[in-house]
């Protein structure tokens, strides 16, 4: 797998937790499964991300949802030998109620999701995948819902893997 950037879950977790757009908004990755199919994170309510109502700023909630599915695909497929670029192509969000406490996010992919993406990458060189995630307060109430569209593309000759890390 020379040239393919694979990480261990603890390495990715460390990198994401020190990534400034997440770090400064108090977004913390709490767990990444060994197969990269499950990620849990928390957007912590603090003085740094409160809005005028004293609840978590919507931009912080959106930022917590933004990078996760593309990063999960990137690493799950890298561990299968694929070198690719991934990014968030589109998002549709709905804020249901104010986030008055820390907010938890539970991102999940299945092996079938990865198999399907792999098949499409082999056939077309690119794939588009849509998944949903909810932001829940500490009582389990849904505060926001997002539908996220990830774009995956195999690297072509001369391309470089793009990464914020």
């Amino acid at each position: 797998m020379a040239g393919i950037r694979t990480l261990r879950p603890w390495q990715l977790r460390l990198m994401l937790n020190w990534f400034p757009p997440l770090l400064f908004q108090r977004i913390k990755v709490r767990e990444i499964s060994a197969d990269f199919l499950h990620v849990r994170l928390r957007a912590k309510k603090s003085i740094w991300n409160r809005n005028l109502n004293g609840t978590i700023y919507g931009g912080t909630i959106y930022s917590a949802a933004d990078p996760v599915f593309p990063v999960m695909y990137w690493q799950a497929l890298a561990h299968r030998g694929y070198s690719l670029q991934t990014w968030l192509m589109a998002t549709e969000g709905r804020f249901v109620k104010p986030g008055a406490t820390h907010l938890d996010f539970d991102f999940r992919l299945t092996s079938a999701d990865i198999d399907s993406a792999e098949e499409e990458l082999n056939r077309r060189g690119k794939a588009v995948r849509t998944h949903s995630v909810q932001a829940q307060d500490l009582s389990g109430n849904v505060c926001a819902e997002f539908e996220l569209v990830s774009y995956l593309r195999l690297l072509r000759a001369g391309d470089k893997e793009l990464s914020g890390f």
Side-chain angles (χ1 to χ4, degrees):
M1 283 195 237
I4 297 173
R5 189 168 192 187
T6 58
L7 301 169
R8 293 186 175 128
W10 70 267
Q11 291 172 309
L12 181 59
R13 184 172 161 243
L14 184 68
M15 290 167 68
L16 288 172
N17 283 336
W18 283 97
F19 187 49
L22 301 181
L23 176 68
F24 293 128
Q25 293 201 58
R26 309 266 297 141
I27 299 165
K28 184 172 179 86
V29 177
R30 297 168 57 110
E31 179 185 341
I32 299 176
S33 67
D35 57 8
F36 298 94
L37 298 182
H38 180 220
V39 173
R40 288 185 324 112
L41 65 79
R42 175 171 282 175
K44 295 181 178 184
K45 180 183 168 194
S46 79
I47 192 168
W48 304 111
N49 62 12
R50 281 194 322 225
N51 61 25
L52 295 174
N53 297 313
T55 58
I56 297 179
Y57 172 63
T60 296
I61 301 169
Y62 182 91
S63 293
D66 182 306
V68 181
F69 283 120
V71 169
M72 291 168 73
Y73 273 110
W74 169 49
Q75 279 303 295
L77 288 162
H79 282 270
R80 289 188 179 192
Y82 290 87
S83 188
L84 61 147
Q85 294 174 337
T86 64
W87 61 86
L88 188 67
M89 184 177 178
T91 303
E92 183 176 323
R94 194 173 127 238
F95 294 95
V96 179
K97 64 179 278 189
T101 69
H102 302 326
L103 297 178
D104 290 322
F105 295 75
D106 193 30
F107 298 84
R108 291 189 182 270
L109 296 175
T110 65
S111 293
D113 292 326
I114 302 302
D115 292 343
S116 177
E118 182 178 22
E119 185 275 322
E120 192 168 352
L121 285 167
N122 288 331
R123 188 171 37 85
R124 299 180 55 221
K126 62 183 179 180
V128 176
R129 294 285 173 256
T130 303
H131 299 282
S132 299
V133 71
Q134 296 178 333
Q136 296 182 343
D137 65 17
L138 296 181
S139 297
N141 300 309
V142 174
C143 295
E145 302 170 323
F146 296 97
E147 185 171 278
L148 304 132
V149 181
S150 300
Y151 184 85
L152 323 172
R153 182 174 71 81
L154 291 175
L155 292 181
R156 293 177 227 141
D159 281 349
K160 292 189 178 175
E161 197 171 29
L162 297 177
S163 174
F165 308 110

